Amino acid sequence: MELAYYSDYAVRLVNTEEPARNKDSLTSVEAVRELFGAASQMARRATDADVTRFRSVRGRLRAVFTAADEGDHTGAVDLLNSLLLEFPVSPQISGHDYLDEEGRPRWHMHLADHPSNATAGFAAIAAMGLAFHLTEFGADRLGLCQAAPCRNAYLDTSTNRSRRYCSDRCATRANVAAYRARKRLEAEAERTGLTADSSQEATAPTDR
């Protein structure tokens, strides 16, 4: 499994909460298990206690995205390093399920999942995946959606570092809102201009 894949763990966890909308889908052990995926051994080890622990890690991961989004790249790295120290990983070389044309294993790096509890396992993978993404592409590639009130996290993989929204839906919504705002300003400017012209005509001296 490619290490870059693990960065999505952080995004999935952060986006279980929408603070501006007062929504939180991380409310049960089932929700915790869904974050891992049904096939994960760690998912089966999750308990009710992990709900609270997951929320704590989620807040710290969101802080990383927030710092990066605000341009505080050093702060983002410091926050991420604290997670890496608290939740270390066990990298291993693996070749299972991936064979080349000659039937030989396609060796790749894999993060072993044998922590003390489900939260520690997920946090270790999420933090390490995010660290690989940050060091490979830069801290400015970690962002929060600019389509208010959405503030979902995203990883910018665009070629020109142009991503500003978490999804096509939010991008469309933001573009529509911007278009309507421009139309309102144009209409207001036109109305104000007409009013000014009418006022000038009303106050202009009359030829006698």
Side-chain angles (χ1 to χ4, degrees), residues 81-108:
N81 273 335
S82 70
L83 283 164
L84 291 170
L85 287 171
E86 185 173 345
F87 302 105
V89 297
S90 300
Q92 294 180 347
I93 299 173
S94 177
H96 63 80
D97 299 330
Y98 296 92
L99 302 178
D100 62 19
E101 293 78 5
E102 299 181 7
R104 296 173 302 189
R106 294 182 182 273
W107 301 114
H108 57 276

Side-chain angles (χ1 to χ4, degrees), residues 16-25 27 58 149-151:
T16 59
E17 181 184 32
E18 298 181 68
R21 293 188 173 110
N22 198 29
K23 292 183 178 180
D24 187 348
S25 62
T27 58
R58 178 181 65 187
C150 179
R151 294 293 283 168

Side-chain angles (χ1 to χ4, degrees), residues 181-202:
R182 286 196 302 270
K183 287 300 181 181
R184 285 195 298 269
L185 287 174
E186 290 171 4
E188 180 65 19
E190 183 178 354
R191 185 187 68 80
T192 303
L194 289 174
T195 300
D197 291 342
S198 300
S199 176
Q200 289 174 3
E201 291 175 1

Side-chain angles (χ1 to χ4, degrees), residues 10-79:
V11 174
R12 293 207 308 270
L13 177 54
V14 170
N15 291 346
T16 59
E17 181 184 32
E18 298 181 68
R21 293 188 173 110
N22 198 29
K23 292 183 178 180
D24 187 348
S25 62
L26 192 58
T27 58
S28 65
V29 66
E30 288 74 20
V32 168
R33 289 169 179 160
E34 287 178 5
L35 287 169
F36 286 103
S40 173
Q41 294 182 358
M42 284 188 291
R44 292 191 288 273
R45 294 204 295 269
T47 67
D48 289 331
D50 285 300
V51 176
T52 300
R53 290 195 288 252
F54 259 67
R55 286 178 171 176
S56 175
V57 171
R58 178 181 65 187
R60 294 170 67 182
L61 285 171
R62 177 172 283 278
V64 175
F65 278 92
T66 299
D69 187 67
E70 294 175 349
D72 183 8
H73 297 170
T74 300
V77 169
D78 288 342
L79 290 167

